[in-house]
Amino acid sequence: MSSTTFEAARTLSAPSQSRRRWRVWPGGLKGSEFTWAIAFVVPYAAVFIAFVAYPIVYGLWMGHDPELYSELLSDPIYLGSVVNTVLFVGIGVNLKMFGALLLSGFFMRRSWWTKGLLLIYVLPWAVPALPTFISIHWMLNGQWGLLNNVLWDLFGIDGPGWLDTSRWLALGSVIVSHIWKWMPFWTVILLAGRMAIPQELYDAADVDGATGLNRFTYVTFPLLANLYLICTLLSTIFTLGEFNEVYFITGGGPALSTHVLATLGIRDAFQVARPDLGVATVMSALPLMIPLVILLMRKLRTTDVQL
Amino acid sequence: MSTVLTHRQTVRRPPRYRLRRNLRETAALAFAVVLLIWTLAPIYNMVMVSLDSKGDVFSNDIWPAHPSLDSFWIVLSEGYWYLEYFWHQFGNSIYIGAVTTFLTLLIGSLASFSIGRLRLKNGWIVSNAALLTYVIPASFLAIPFYSIMLKYGLANNLWSVIFAEVTFATPYAIFIFHQYAVSIPMELDEAARIDGASPIQIYLRIYLPLMAPALVAVGTYALLLAWNEYLYQFMLLSSKRSMTVPVALAQFLNSDEAPWNYMMATAIIYAIPPVAVYYAFRRRMTAGLTMGGVKG
């Protein structure tokens, strides 16, 4: 899409050398220079300590009581939301990333209208989350929503109330909306990754008689696999904390059956006025979160990615 | 022999090849139409409802029966009770966006200058702290953050939101600045130092001017982050005069008499500035996109 994206993806997909240089500092600073260097870091350090480190420690302290967790485990709404979170993240992220992989291939086409289509296709990502999710909320209304109106006009089908009749329909709607919102972003990333693959490799594969699927499995995918994995990990972490989809589309309904951990935590803290329970709800995602973060950090380090 | 073969191929191939190509092109076009409908449906819905008059919202039309721009006029003239502070709230959004952008650029560039150019010892601690912040979902930090803002006495104050947005925007800033600064030769700094420039002079006269493209990219990112973010604004801002547009908008989502046409008109007006900024700076802001997976 653009040269900067291109470079970002290239540094992601190809090993680079500069990380090491960045991490080991030769020599030391002298006198006043050292003072300046410290002074320049102080603002960020202050932000980090006041608004990241302190909240983390405070949150750990708020949610340290084991009784909170036994309270959660005996709560069917909490258990349901754990299932929802796993489904939302598991299905949502994988469908989204796989769709993005396929679509990035589609956008590699060189016809004149693909560029224009790409500009429109990234619109869901460019528009702020809240307006579009509110719009989807209304669109899926069983009685007056656009979707059911279209279904009726075109096929004579009387569509269901997507958000307020069944848990699975509502959760499915949330997952589809999540894919709608975020697939363009990952498509652009993977597209940049694909563009970074040298054309000569494909030419060589052509000479060897590779066509269609073979080109993909033997050339594109091996070179893209690392980027794909890193993107999937990042996306999993972000999706675990995703709040807007569920909050605006189903609002956790029907009957609190579609909450995910992020929205249930906020509900516990602000609507039920139990901040400690809310923190415990969110913290119960940490056993899933921490291995992912460690895996991601390690992956980023071994591939020498410059972020 | 070989000439015969090649001759045959050139004679035979075109019709079949062209047919296949046409088929492919048609299939791709059909797919493009489906993709277009999928992408635009919620946005079409937004526009359609905003063009409805009040009675038409609750109808089964798929195109407004009597399209009018009244809803937009009502929003712009604050002509409905939930919109009474619309421009004030719009101003709050702009204020938060502008201050967040400025602080993110300032704090991020100072930190990256210190660890990248002045080569602060143990600067990796700072970059790891930034990476850690980057991978913590904002919603997981929300509850303790809120409690702490109460302690700091900043609840219902625009500054609490600004701090939140700056916190989540600076890690990205530090990474992009660092990545970009690698391309600026260190010799420039060395030469300036020999001429007796102090670090602050190097920062102001050499570093910042040369970093202009990265500053634009990160500034756009921070502005959009602050403008689009909802959760922290919702938690931290509660009075009508301190609210931002999205918070006011969401308040009416679950009320019984949600005026959908006004809400959608508000939503479109609220969405236009970031979309315009996005398309204007698209090429610049996509630098290091993976880091920019806008959170929230």
Side-chain angles (χ1 to χ4, degrees):
Chain A
M1 193 160 97
S2 72
S3 61
T4 37
T5 323
F6 181 88
E7 268 155 31
R10 194 176 50 199
T11 46
L12 268 179
S13 53
S16 78
Q17 68 296 28
S18 48
R19 178 113 188 163
R20 189 145 298 259
R21 214 174 348 127
W22 179 25
R23 309 197 75 241
V24 183
W25 303 123
L29 295 165
K30 279 173 243 145
S32 68
E33 293 233 327
F34 184 72
T35 319
W36 278 113
I38 292 289
F40 282 6
V41 170
V42 162
Y44 180 67
V47 166
F48 181 79
I49 290 166
F51 302 116
V52 181
Y54 184 30
I56 288 177
V57 174
Y58 193 71
L60 291 174
W61 177 78
M62 280 172 95
H64 77 282
D65 187 357
E67 278 194 13
L68 290 172
Y69 298 92
S70 50
E71 189 182 339
L72 282 181
L73 285 177
S74 61
D75 178 6
I77 294 173
Y78 170 76
L79 295 175
S81 74
V82 171
V83 174
N84 292 338
T85 309
V86 171
L87 290 175
F88 178 56
V89 174
I91 300 177
V93 169
N94 283 306
L95 278 183
K96 175 181 64 181
M97 295 308 295
F98 190 67
L101 182 65
L102 296 183
L103 277 167
S104 65
F106 176 75
F107 282 113
M108 287 292 280
R109 293 172 54 87
R110 287 202 193 96
S111 50
W112 57 270
W113 46 265
T114 337
K115 269 197 169 167
L117 185 66
L118 184 60
L119 278 184
I120 299 174
Y121 173 65
V122 295
L123 204 56
W125 171 45
V127 177
L130 175 108
T132 51
F133 290 150
I134 288 184
S135 168
I136 290 175
H137 176 89
W138 182 242
M139 200 173 110
L140 296 179
N141 181 297
Q143 216 176 341
W144 313 111
L146 179 69
L147 181 62
N148 280 356
N149 291 345
V150 169
L151 282 180
W152 177 253
D153 286 356
L154 288 186
F155 309 107
I157 303 171
D158 208 358
W162 298 93
L163 301 178
D164 46 16
T165 51
S166 129
R167 172 185 177 185
W168 304 116
L169 270 183
L171 192 63
S173 307
V174 169
I175 293 175
V176 170
S177 312
H178 173 78
I179 294 173
W180 178 83
K181 170 80 182 161
W182 289 108
M183 196 162 62
F185 172 72
W186 296 109
T187 305
V188 169
I189 300 271
L190 291 173
L191 180 62
R194 275 179 191 261
M195 284 166 143
I197 299 172
Q199 181 61 34
E200 295 87 59
L201 290 179
Y202 290 111
D203 296 342
D206 278 344
V207 170
D208 291 345
T211 51
L213 198 60
N214 279 339
R215 278 163 64 108
F216 180 77
T217 45
Y218 293 112
V219 183
T220 312
F221 197 73
L223 289 169
L224 218 56
N226 209 16
L227 178 67
Y228 186 79
L229 186 62
I230 289 174
C231 289
T232 307
L233 283 173
L234 256 182
S235 165
T236 307
I237 293 169
F238 290 165
T239 310
L240 259 177
E242 199 60 74
F243 172 84
N244 292 334
E245 278 91 333
V246 172
Y247 187 77
F248 288 115
I249 292 172
T250 69
L256 303 179
S257 65
T258 58
H259 269 295
V260 291
L261 290 177
T263 54
L264 190 66
I266 298 293
R267 178 180 180 273
D268 285 342
F270 292 98
Q271 271 161 281
V272 189
R274 288 282 311 275
D276 51 343
L277 199 64
V279 169
T281 305
V282 169
M283 285 224 315
S284 64
L286 288 187
L288 190 58
M289 200 52 205
I290 290 170
L292 284 171
V293 170
I294 292 173
L295 197 62
L296 178 69
M297 296 258 197
R298 181 166 299 171
K299 199 77 203 150
L300 288 176
R301 193 149 300 159
T302 52
T303 48
D304 254 355
V305 170
Q306 248 188 329
L307 282 177
Chain B
M1 176 76 188
S2 66
T3 47
V4 175
L5 257 181
T6 47
H7 178 68
R8 239 191 222 164
Q9 273 174 349
T10 47
V11 171
R12 259 193 179 176
R13 245 176 104 197
R16 251 173 60 199
Y17 183 66
R18 196 176 297 162
L19 182 70
R20 241 186 32 211
R21 229 186 84 160
N22 281 342
L23 267 177
R24 272 192 173 184
E25 193 71 5
T26 319
L29 266 175
F31 179 73
V33 171
V34 173
L35 193 64
L36 213 56
I37 295 174
W38 154 268
T39 302
L40 290 179
I43 293 162
Y44 169 76
N45 184 58
M46 201 151 74
V47 175
M48 184 193 83
V49 175
S50 74
L51 293 178
D52 273 335
S53 59
K54 196 163 186 187
D56 290 342
V57 174
F58 299 96
S59 71
N60 288 322
D61 303 324
I62 54 177
W63 174 251
H66 314 285
S68 77
L69 292 170
D70 286 353
S71 310
F72 289 94
W73 176 244
I74 291 198
V75 174
L76 295 179
S77 61
E78 304 185 330
Y80 190 72
W81 63 274
Y82 100 83
L83 292 162
E84 57 186 339
Y85 293 112
F86 176 76
W87 285 112
H88 190 85
Q89 291 159 348
F90 203 82
N92 287 345
S93 283
I94 292 176
Y95 180 72
I96 289 175
V99 179
T100 302
T101 307
F102 174 73
L103 285 180
T104 303
L105 291 178
L106 182 71
I107 295 173
S109 63
L110 282 175
S112 73
F113 181 73
S114 177
I115 58 174
R117 310 300 284 196
L118 295 179
R119 308 202 151 171
L120 180 68
K121 218 177 180 183
N122 294 331
W124 59 273
I125 296 175
V126 176
S127 45
N128 273 11
L131 190 55
L132 178 73
T133 315
Y134 188 71
V135 295
I136 298 176
S139 63
F140 283 16
L141 210 58
I143 302 166
F145 196 97
Y146 176 76
S147 313
I148 284 173
M149 283 302 167
L150 285 183
K151 281 191 185 178
Y152 291 162
L154 285 173
N156 207 17
N157 185 326
L158 293 185
W159 277 95
S160 61
V161 174
I162 290 170
F163 286 134
E165 314 298 4
V166 168
T167 303
F168 292 110
T170 35
Y172 178 76
I174 291 176
F175 283 106
I176 294 300
F177 288 152
H178 185 84
Q179 195 180 346
Y180 192 84
V182 171
S183 67
I184 301 172
M186 272 308 254
E187 286 76 19
L188 286 174
D189 296 29
E190 320 255 312
R193 203 165 292 162
I194 289 168
D195 289 347
S198 68
I200 188 94
Q201 283 170 323
I202 299 175
Y203 170 77
L204 286 175
R205 303 250 174 95
I206 295 175
Y207 191 71
L208 282 187
L210 289 173
M211 292 286 280
L215 291 172
V216 172
V218 170
T220 314
Y221 168 83
L223 182 66
L224 292 187
L225 180 92
W227 186 273
N228 295 351
E229 200 273 333
Y230 170 76
L231 176 59
Y232 279 77
Q233 303 186 1
F234 152 73
M235 278 191 327
L236 294 164
L237 305 174
S238 50
S239 82
K240 273 200 155 189
R241 293 190 68 84
S242 69
M243 267 181 200
T244 54
V245 179
V247 184
L249 185 56
Q251 263 205 333
F252 282 80
L253 180 62
N254 292 322
S255 69
D256 289 333
E257 36 150 0
W260 277 96
N261 47 346
Y262 302 158
M263 283 173 62
M264 287 305 170
T266 315
I268 290 174
I269 294 170
Y270 165 71
I272 285 174
V275 172
V277 169
Y278 171 79
Y279 280 105
F281 292 99
R282 189 173 54 91
R283 286 167 189 287
R284 298 199 167 211
M285 71 167 288
T286 41
L289 262 180
T290 2
M291 288 298 285
V294 185
K295 300 205 287 179

